Amino acid sequence: MRRIGRRDIVAAILIALLAGAVFTSPPLQTLQGFSLDILTALRGKLVPDRRDPATSPVVVVAIDGETYDTPPFKGSPTQTWTREIGRVLGSISEGGAKVIGFDVIFPSSIEQSEIPFGEAPLGTRMKGFDRDYLIALRQLSDSGKLVLGEILSNDHPDRPYRAQQLAVKNNIRALNVHTDTDDVIRRMPLSFSIDGKRVPAMAVELAARALDAKSEIAPSGETNLSGYAVPSAVPNTLTLNFRGLGRDVPAYSFADLRACADKGDRDFFHRAFDGKVVLLGTILNFEDRKLTSMRLSGGHDGSPAPRCALPSPTGTAQKARSDIAGVFVHAAVVRNLIEHDAVTELGFPARTILTIVLAAIIACAACMLAPGGALIAWLSVTAVYTAVAVGAFVHALALPLTEPALASLVALAMMIGYRFVLADRDERFLRKSFALYLAPEVIETMVASGKMPALGGEMRNVTMFFSDLSGFSSIAETMTPGELVTLMNEYLSAMTDIIEGHGGYVDKYIGDSIVAMFGAPADDPAHASNAIRAALKCHEKLAELNANNPAFAGHGLSHRIGLNSGEAVVGNIGSRRRFNYTVMSDTVNVASRLEGANKYYGTAIMASEATVAQTGDTFAWRELDAIRVMGRGEAIRVFEPLADRGAEKAAQTKVAAAYAEGLACWRAREFARAADAFGQMAESDPASALFAKRAKVLTQNPPPPDWTPVNTLEGK
């Protein structure tokens, strides 16, 4: 983790202020609405509404597709439906409905038709057709149970025809909606100014009558209904709370209710409408569809209500849609007002502050962490904040979501850019200066501390890796300097990539030799296993280079690798002015001797028993011998790794089995049997050939009684 200074803190604050101000500015106000859409979708998915639609204080009577397909409405113009509408409204009122609102407008009557029909216009012949309908409207209006709807407009107002207006004594309220700049309905107007007076909107009027109260508008512009101060982020509006995604409002088919009225089932009307606010509206696929904050989650045109007289139509299963019938927008307002459940949005200052705070948190994280870590931090913080926002939205509090997420993401990008251009110049200089000489972990420690490397070391358990090309001096004599450099660069690059790919650190190159260690500078509990895997892979890679790389063609290079594990001093070792990150100990010396010991046995890789012990059962091994190397009195058992356990070839298994038999006989002083066992594979295995020869010598000239099966190697 990078340390941050005062300059970094100031930069993070400035970046957060800029990002927060931009994403909460008026030109990007659509993000506020998009936050509502996302919160509605997430709440519906994670915390679905479990309320019974039957408990809804508002219900919808739907002029739907079934109504249009059911006699006597089928094929009849809607102006001829008024008598049946009057009958059904009377039954609903008798059933105990508190108030009925019209989300449909009949701007004309069939009685007004001037189409010729015989010797007189059709309207003249139909005089009195709407009388029963108008009487029903008058009776409901006089009892305070009816509100007709209208559309206010300077250009094209839409009002019920004059006779209806007289029947209800101008008891009419506006159905206009509030759309955001993206044509989505997320809020609804609470009142309208008509002839200089504030008149409640349709849904507010219905809720007020259901509560037997009047809506009041405070001097501040706040609307109060029966003690409920309606929250308004946008003045004179209510933010819609689609808690049930439309499924929390029952929808009764008008066709079924008309048949129910013919049936005279008053009990059904009482069960369905007693104490309810009723909205009459259309539910059609082609008319009065509205985009709302349910556009991402998908909304429903109500919940199918119980039936009275007609069977349920087949194939009418509802699917979530991005738009809903307009009547359910008004139904949602009514329910929000009655249940005090409108969404409360934060004001501009609070939204801006919250956005800036989250942007500042991410900017600081981007200042301290690497870009990948900072991105993970942004994802984590955004996920946690989203969970908090959804939890708040369950309680009808809408926290900004898209603004903080986008502002913090931009702050992340800006802070990374700031670090790249300004803050990390010194760090990049240190990395570039020491990358070719120090281990990456050492450079990371140096950068994190802000200090240059110094002398010092520590004891660590490591595995040392020594490799050397066999007979390379004679090969080099036949090559030009350019060819030699090309060959060595290819070889050392390939081997180094493998070593570092397995967690090793290349300490130094000595001519064609490689000195590497596993387990330092980075801690690696599996350093012995990783060193063995690297050695096996290096051996495979050299064979591949010999076969496919033009620089290796005709040279037939082979190498020897020695591996040993144990305690060693690792650290910055050298003079006060010049030093290297390296390693020192007897562990290092033994690994070097084992590399050289390979040539006695004709093997490519040799590991000590200490390394084998630390790898467990990971690999298949062949024990080669017990040897005493130059400069060390203690004998060491040495092994050759064959492959990962279970992956060894049949030929390897066969050689190893014969060799193990011969070695056991050798150590038991049964030299004749040992010679026979080793002789089985002597032609294909140099180590077996070596032991077969030694066993034959000792068969003819047995050693003294104090002989021990330890091979003392002369030279390095």
Side-chain angles (χ1 to χ4, degrees):
M1 182 179 292
R2 176 179 175 273
R3 295 193 307 173
I4 60 175
R6 182 178 301 175
R7 184 179 67 174
D8 298 329
I9 295 174
V10 172
I13 293 173
L14 292 177
I15 287 173
L17 287 172
L18 177 61
V22 168
F23 282 95
T24 55
S25 61
L28 295 179
Q29 197 169 11
T30 52
L31 294 176
Q32 183 180 359
F34 194 51
S35 293
L36 286 173
D37 302 344
I38 295 174
L39 288 171
T40 300
L42 290 175
R43 183 183 63 181
K45 187 71 173 179
L46 302 175
V47 192
D49 183 47
R50 302 187 183 281
R51 295 175 299 178
D52 185 354
T55 63
S56 172
V58 58
V59 300
V60 168
V61 173
I63 298 175
D64 53 6
E66 180 188 357
T67 304
Y68 276 90
D69 292 337
T70 302
F73 306 108
K74 185 176 183 180
S76 302
T78 53
Q79 287 94 335
T80 64
W81 297 11
T82 52
R83 295 163 62 92
E84 302 303 323
I85 291 175
R87 290 180 56 218
V88 172
L89 293 181
S91 297
I92 291 173
S93 176
E94 292 174 3
K98 286 188 174 182
V99 62
I100 302 170
F102 271 43
D103 186 40
V104 292
I105 300 172
F106 292 99
S108 61
S109 168
I110 196 170
E111 296 183 23
Q112 299 171 326
S113 175
E114 296 181 359
I115 295 176
F117 186 70
E119 297 179 356
L122 178 63
T124 302
R125 291 178 175 271
M126 299 296 292
K127 287 296 182 183
F129 184 85
D130 284 345
R131 182 180 58 187
D132 292 344
Y133 171 63
L134 295 173
I135 291 173
L137 295 185
R138 182 62 173 268
Q139 292 173 345
L140 290 171
S141 178
D142 289 346
S143 64
K145 287 189 173 185
L146 180 68
V147 183
L148 296 185
E150 67 173 339
I151 300 296
L152 300 177
S153 172
N154 292 328
D155 300 324
H156 302 287
D158 197 3
R159 303 198 78 199
Y161 63 86
R162 182 63 179 168
Q164 292 183 72
Q165 297 177 34
L166 294 173
V168 300
K169 300 177 180 178
N170 288 322
N171 195 1
I172 304 172
R173 295 294 182 266
L175 294 166
N176 297 61
V177 298
H178 176 95
T179 57
D180 290 341
T181 55
D182 55 358
D183 294 327
V184 178
I185 299 172
R186 301 183 180 94
R187 303 168 188 85
M188 284 289 284
L190 296 170
S191 63
F192 299 91
S193 179
I194 301 177
D195 296 330
K197 296 182 180 180
R198 302 302 300 183
V199 179
M202 165 67 82
V204 178
E205 181 69 25
L206 295 177
R209 295 194 185 192
L211 296 170
D212 195 21
K214 283 189 175 182
S215 61
E216 300 175 352
I217 301 176
S220 62
E222 181 182 73
T223 300
N224 192 292
L225 179 62
S226 188
Y228 176 50
V230 181
S232 297
V234 176
N236 192 39
T237 64
L238 171 147
T239 304
L240 291 161
N241 189 0
F242 293 104
R243 191 176 291 277
L245 300 180
R247 289 173 294 196
D248 53 342
V249 177
Y252 293 87
S253 173
F254 182 78
D256 184 60
L257 293 180
R258 187 259 179 193
C260 193
D262 285 346
K263 182 181 175 182
D265 191 344
R266 295 184 177 182
D267 289 340
F268 180 85
F269 281 96
H270 181 76
R271 291 194 306 271
F273 301 107
D274 185 35
K276 304 290 187 179
V277 175
V278 181
L279 274 163
L280 175 66
T282 59
I283 301 181
L284 300 169
N285 290 328
F286 53 85
E287 182 178 317
D288 193 28
R289 307 298 303 184
K290 308 293 185 185
L291 277 178
T292 68
S293 49
M294 294 187 289
R295 63 187 180 127
L296 299 182
S297 61
H300 296 78
D301 289 335
S303 176
R307 309 283 291 188
C308 173
L310 300 179
S312 297
T314 58
T316 57
Q318 280 199 31
K319 294 182 180 179
R321 295 179 51 159
S322 59
D323 57 6
I324 61 171
V327 66
F328 290 99
V329 176
H330 299 286
V333 179
V334 174
R335 185 161 193 176
N336 289 168
L337 289 171
I338 292 176
E339 296 181 344
H340 300 179
D341 196 31
V343 170
T344 299
E345 297 182 81
L346 297 187
F348 175 75
R351 285 190 297 110
T352 303
I353 291 172
L354 187 55
T355 300
I356 290 173
V357 168
L358 284 174
I361 292 172
I362 296 302
C364 290
C367 193
M368 292 185 292
L369 303 173
L375 182 59
I376 292 174
W378 175 78
L379 291 171
S380 302
V381 170
T382 301
V384 171
Y385 177 75
T386 300
V388 172
V390 172
F393 199 61
V394 170
H395 297 90
L397 174 62
L399 299 178
L401 188 61
T402 52
E403 303 99 305
L406 293 176
S408 56
L409 181 60
V410 169
L412 167 66
M414 293 175 68
M415 181 54 73
I416 291 174
Y418 157 79
R419 283 181 56 180
F420 182 80
V421 175
L422 298 175
D424 291 350
R425 284 182 301 180
D426 295 340
E427 178 179 325
R428 290 198 300 273
F429 173 76
L430 285 175
R431 293 182 186 278
K432 186 175 180 181
S433 299
F434 291 97
L436 299 177
Y437 307 101
L438 294 179
E441 292 78 7
V442 177
I443 298 176
E444 291 296 335
T445 302
M446 180 178 65
V447 169
S449 65
K451 297 178 181 179
M452 298 296 286
L455 291 172
E458 60 178 331
M459 290 297 295
R460 297 279 284 274
N461 189 278
V462 298
T463 296
M464 292 304 302
F465 176 109
F466 269 77
S467 76
D468 186 38
L469 286 173
S470 304
F472 185 70
S473 297
S474 59
I475 295 175
E477 291 176 357
T478 65
M479 304 174 69
T480 66
E483 293 174 336
L484 180 61
V485 169
T486 300
L487 177 65
M488 286 309 304
N489 287 342
E490 289 287 335
Y491 169 74
L492 294 176
S493 295
M495 300 301 111
T496 300
D497 289 345
I498 293 171
I499 291 168
E500 292 183 346
H502 288 78
Y505 163 63
V506 175
D507 179 11
K508 61 177 70 71
Y509 302 111
I510 307 173
D512 59 293
S513 300
I514 300 174
V515 181
M517 60 179 149
F518 292 77
D523 287 325
D524 180 9
H527 58 80
S529 296
N530 286 329
I532 297 299
R533 289 193 179 93
L536 291 170
K537 190 66 178 177
C538 284
H539 190 58
E540 293 177 9
K541 185 64 177 179
L542 182 57
E544 180 183 325
L545 291 172
N546 282 328
N548 302 321
N549 194 304
F552 289 73
H555 298 300
L557 294 184
S558 63
H559 60 185
R560 301 183 298 268
I561 300 174
L563 301 159
N564 184 39
S565 303
E567 298 293 320
V569 177
V570 295
N572 295 318
I573 300 171
S575 71
R576 292 182 180 86
R577 291 192 305 106
R578 184 172 180 178
F579 47 81
N580 291 322
Y581 187 85
T582 187
V583 58
M584 295 177 62
S585 81
D586 182 58
T587 300
V588 181
N589 298 331
V590 171
S592 174
R593 298 294 185 267
L594 296 186
E595 176 271 310
N598 278 290
K599 58 188 172 185
Y600 291 99
Y601 295 89
T603 52
I605 307 173
M606 185 180 293
S608 69
E609 56 188 311
T611 299
V612 175
Q614 292 196 35
T615 62
D617 295 329
T618 308
F619 302 97
W621 297 92
R622 172 170 69 153
E623 183 176 357
L624 291 171
D625 201 355
I627 64 174
R628 187 176 292 109
V629 298
M630 186 175 181
R632 183 182 175 96
E634 183 181 352
I636 306 169
R637 292 171 63 197
V638 291
F639 297 77
E640 178 189 21
L642 303 178
D644 285 326
R645 176 73 64 181
E648 61 270 27
K649 299 176 182 177
Q652 290 178 312
T653 303
K654 184 177 180 181
V655 170
Y659 193 92
E661 179 186 353
L663 189 61
C665 294
W666 169 269
R667 289 174 173 171
R669 298 176 65 99
E670 298 177 1
F671 301 115
R673 291 183 58 194
D676 291 339
F678 287 124
Q680 297 176 34
M681 298 296 168
E683 291 186 5
S684 59
D685 179 42
S688 295
L690 171 67
F691 260 101
K693 182 178 179 180
R694 292 166 62 191
K696 289 178 181 178
V697 171
L698 292 182
T699 300
Q700 298 173 357
N701 301 293
D706 60 350
W707 175 84
T708 57
V710 175
N711 185 18
T712 301
L713 302 181
E714 301 294 336
K716 298 183 180 181

